[in-house]
């Protein structure tokens, strides 16, 4: 059974291994201090950000799903392949557009499809003009199995036909994820034949005005949370 990294969790869920990577953003939000985002045991730092440290603003409001970062991330320099088999330059194609980025895989049994579904349902509650503005990008952490064709089949069912699915070389995907503080381990085949894909499960929201990732959402973010925040994210405002 595939596995997800659980952000902010002190213990692993039943049937899952203890997560290796991820910032305890829930704790950070509660005490209002600076947190170092986990980078999978690698000392590489996010390109363009100067450091892997993200400061949380907004005090101790634990009722909000969003974690607003005082030091936003620079958008990853990712050039991958989309569901049509065409080159996709993430920075170029999403420049000046409100963008949600998530790293996951299509064989995920729970968190990945739930996250895509929640965002899709919330997106449909937006006015049509805002729906068209919002870019949702799903980057696979399991590119060997998640080909362009596989993503093209899975994304419309799990999320929405408008979502962008990207695949490519694992090393490039892993490096891009690290640039925004998300750790990814290479998929591993267990003795029973199941494939384990460990990865950070956060959604990062990028502002249309600065093109920087300034809001982070954990895997427990609900449809209502996204529905409430997306109108502000589309304007580049803090949720």
């Amino acid at each position: 059974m595939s596995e997800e990294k659980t952000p902010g969790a002190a213990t692993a869920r039943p049937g899952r291994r203890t997560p290796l990577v991820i910032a305890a953003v829930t704790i950070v939000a509660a005490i209002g201090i600076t947190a170092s985002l986990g980078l999978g045991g690698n000392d590489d730092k996010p390109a363009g950000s100067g450091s892997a440290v993200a400061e949380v603003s907004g005090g101790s409001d634990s009722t909000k799903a969003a974690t607003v970062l005082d030091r936003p991330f620079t958008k990853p320099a990712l050039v991958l392949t989309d569901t049509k088999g065409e080159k996709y330059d993430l920075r170029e194609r999403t420049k000046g557009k409100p963008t949600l980025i998530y790293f996951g895989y299509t064989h995920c049994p729970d968190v990945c499809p739930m996250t895509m579904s929640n965002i899709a349902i919330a997106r449909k509650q937006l006015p049509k003009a805002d729906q068209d503005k919002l870019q949702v990008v799903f980057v696979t952490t399991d590119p060997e199995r998640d080909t362009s064709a596989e993503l093209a089949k899975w994304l419309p069912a799990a999320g929405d036909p408008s979502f962008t699915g990207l695949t490519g070389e694992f090393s490039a995907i892993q490096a891009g994820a690290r640039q925004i503080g998300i750790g990814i381990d290479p998929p591993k085949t267990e003795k029973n034949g199941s494939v384990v894909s460990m990865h950070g499960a956060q959604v990062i929201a990028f502002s249309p005005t600065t093109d920087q990732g300034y809001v982070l959402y954990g895997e427990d973010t609900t449809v209502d949370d996204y529905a409430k925040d997306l109108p502000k994210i589309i304007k580049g405002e803090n949720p």
Side-chain angles (χ1 to χ4, degrees), residues 24-89:
V25 295
T26 304
I27 296 173
V28 174
I31 60 180
I33 63 173
T34 299
S36 176
L37 298 183
L39 297 180
N42 190 295
D43 291 331
D44 291 349
K45 296 181 179 180
S49 67
S51 113
V53 174
E55 292 180 0
V56 178
S57 67
S60 59
D61 187 354
S62 60
T63 64
K64 290 186 176 182
T67 298
V68 179
L69 306 176
D70 284 339
R71 295 186 188 176
F73 288 111
T74 298
K75 193 172 289 180
L78 274 172
V79 180
L80 298 171
T81 304
D82 65 16
T83 54
K84 298 178 182 178
E86 298 175 354
K87 173 183 172 183
Y88 188 98
D89 185 321

Side-chain angles (χ1 to χ4, degrees), residues 149-215:
E150 186 67 23
L151 287 170
K153 288 190 300 181
W154 184 83
L155 265 181
D160 188 271
S162 70
F163 291 1
T164 298
L166 299 179
T167 188
E169 293 294 327
F170 178 82
S171 58
I173 292 169
Q174 185 181 52
R178 283 182 181 144
Q179 290 173 28
I180 54 176
I182 295 186
I184 298 175
D185 289 344
K188 184 175 69 173
T189 302
E190 301 285 77
K191 291 181 179 179
N192 64 3
S194 64
V195 177
V196 176
S197 181
M198 297 286 283
H199 63 87
Q202 301 97 334
V203 173
I204 309 291
F206 288 79
S207 168
T209 58
T210 66
D211 277 323
Q212 295 197 319
Y214 71 115
V215 183

Side-chain angles (χ1 to χ4, degrees), residues 3-7 19 21-22 102-105 108 111-112 138-139 141 182-185 197-202 219:
E3 297 179 277
E4 299 282 350
K5 289 187 185 299
T6 307
V21 195
I22 251 9
Y102 181 79
F103 289 80
Y105 65 114
C108 170
V111 178
C112 298
F138 179 93
V139 184
T141 60
I182 295 186
I184 298 175
D185 289 344
S197 181
M198 297 286 283
H199 63 87
Q202 301 97 334
E219 67 176 67

